[in-house]
């Protein structure tokens, strides 16, 4: 069964350092997403990406965040200067294009990268 | 503020009984509703989605949607200990929206 894969599974970084979280979406999917979940809190949307550009982003996704699809398979989230409050589980997800009318397509989530900022 | 609300639980249900999980949402324009299951430390896993008023059944799971009351629920019949997890309700505002808005989740424990 196809799946979204994320690497690394756990990343520890020092405050102020840059981190890149990597994801390989399901191969025939066209929409890609990043969500995060701070421990004990709800899953929060960060950004969606379609056709090589950001299609939607949340207020959390400020200038320290960026996304990129550097090749045909990878989708990355970069955090430029990490803060303690960036510690969270980061989930990548992908879906096919949203359907018309009453069709819908679900987002499939990767297993997540646990980011710990110290 | 557009929000999705769930009772955080924990909800304890004996094995074999029906577990009932509830979710309310604030935006009347919401179109699609999703139930995800999340085991501790793991990623959300889709159980089912619903977009029309009424019931939708898939195996032991039934999703119920009432748009007038802005209410969606998930019933789990013949609950098993393996159903013990946190259940996340998520909402999309429009047919072509990409963002899922999640509730806090309800922690469900099935007691053998």
């Amino acid at each position: 069964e196809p799946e979204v894969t994320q690497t690394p599974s756990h990343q520890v970084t020092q405050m102020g350092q840059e981190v890149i979280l990597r994801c390989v979406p399901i191969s025939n999917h066209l929409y890609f997403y990043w969500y995060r979940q701070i421990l004990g809190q709800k899953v929060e949307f960060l950004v969606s990406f379609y056709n090589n550009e950001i299609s939607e982003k949340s207020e959390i996704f400020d200038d320290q965040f960026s996304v990129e699809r550097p090749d045909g398979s990878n989708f990355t989230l970069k955090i430029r200067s990490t803060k303690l409050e960036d510690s969270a589980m980061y989930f990548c997800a992908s879906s096919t294009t949203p359907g018309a009318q009453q069709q819908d397509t679900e987002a499939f989530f990767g297993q997540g990268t646990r980011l710990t900022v110290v | 503020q557009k929000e999705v609300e769930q009772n955080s639980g924990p909800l304890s249900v004996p094995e074999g009984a029906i577990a009932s999980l509830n979710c309310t949402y604030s935006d009347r324009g919401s179109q699609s509703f999703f139930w995800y299951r999340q085991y501790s430390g793991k990623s959300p896993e889709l159980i089912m989605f619903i977009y029309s008023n009424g019931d939708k059944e898939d195996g032991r799971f039934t999703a119920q949607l009432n748009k007038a009351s802005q209410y969606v629920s998930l019933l789990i019949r013949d609950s098993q200990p393996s159903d013990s997890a946190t259940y996340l309700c998520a909402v999309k505002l429009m047919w072509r929206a990409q963002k899922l808005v999640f509730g806090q989740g309800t922690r469900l424990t099935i007691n053998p």
Side-chain angles (χ1 to χ4, degrees):
Chain A
E1 185 174 320
E3 60 180 14
V4 177
T5 57
Q6 291 185 242
T7 54
S9 57
H10 191 186
Q11 172 112 27
V12 180
T13 189
Q14 289 199 321
M15 192 169 52
Q17 294 296 304
E18 175 183 287
V19 294
I20 298 176
L21 309 183
R22 302 180 191 279
C23 169
V24 178
I26 295 173
S27 62
N28 65 335
H29 285 187
L30 299 176
Y31 279 87
F32 315 120
Y33 314 85
W34 285 101
Y35 288 81
R36 79 172 184 189
Q37 187 176 30
I38 295 170
L39 187 63
Q41 298 188 24
K42 61 177 69 173
V43 177
E44 300 174 291
F45 171 80
L46 293 177
V47 66
S48 61
F49 191 87
Y50 171 69
N51 200 26
N52 284 319
E53 60 183 21
I54 291 172
S55 49
E56 193 173 356
K57 63 181 181 179
S58 72
E59 58 276 9
I60 302 169
F61 194 86
D62 60 21
D63 290 345
Q64 69 161 339
F65 292 94
S66 62
V67 289
E68 194 177 37
R69 187 152 162 83
D71 53 43
S73 59
N74 290 287
F75 178 53
T76 62
L77 174 69
K78 182 192 289 186
I79 309 175
R80 288 194 184 83
S81 178
T82 50
K83 308 186 191 76
L84 294 176
E85 55 265 36
D86 294 328
S87 295
M89 182 76 93
Y90 288 80
F91 295 111
C92 175
S94 69
S95 67
T96 57
T97 50
Q101 298 182 346
Q102 294 193 349
Q103 297 295 314
D104 210 327
T105 55
E106 63 270 29
F108 291 89
F109 283 75
Q111 289 307 301
T113 293
R114 180 168 299 284
L115 177 65
T116 303
V117 183
V118 297
Chain B
Q1 178 74 17
K2 301 177 176 61
E3 290 208 358
V4 177
E5 295 190 9
Q6 299 179 252
N7 187 325
S8 60
L11 175 65
S12 291
V13 172
E15 184 175 357
I18 295 175
S20 177
L21 302 155
N22 305 316
C23 172
T24 59
Y25 57 96
S26 60
D27 193 312
R28 281 199 173 273
S30 300
Q31 298 284 350
S32 307
F33 308 87
F34 300 77
W35 282 101
Y36 282 84
R37 177 174 61 197
Q38 187 177 34
Y39 293 111
S40 181
K42 303 296 184 182
S43 62
E45 173 191 7
L46 182 74
I47 299 172
M48 60 194 306
F49 64 84
I50 186 169
Y51 41 72
S52 298
N53 275 326
D55 295 0
K56 179 181 178 183
E57 189 174 316
D58 184 359
R60 295 187 296 113
F61 299 95
T62 299
Q64 299 174 316
L65 175 61
N66 183 326
K67 288 188 178 180
S69 300
Q70 296 177 236
Y71 176 92
V72 58
S73 65
L74 180 70
L75 301 178
I76 307 173
R77 287 182 298 282
D78 188 23
S79 299
Q80 303 297 310
S82 58
D83 294 327
S84 297
T86 297
Y87 288 79
L88 310 178
C89 174
V91 172
K92 274 193 192 179
L93 294 183
M94 299 179 295
W95 296 122
R96 300 188 88 82
Q98 298 136 41
K99 178 172 89 171
L100 285 168
V101 179
F102 282 86
Q104 182 78 11
T106 297
R107 190 154 57 91
L108 174 67
T109 300
I110 306 300
N111 301 308

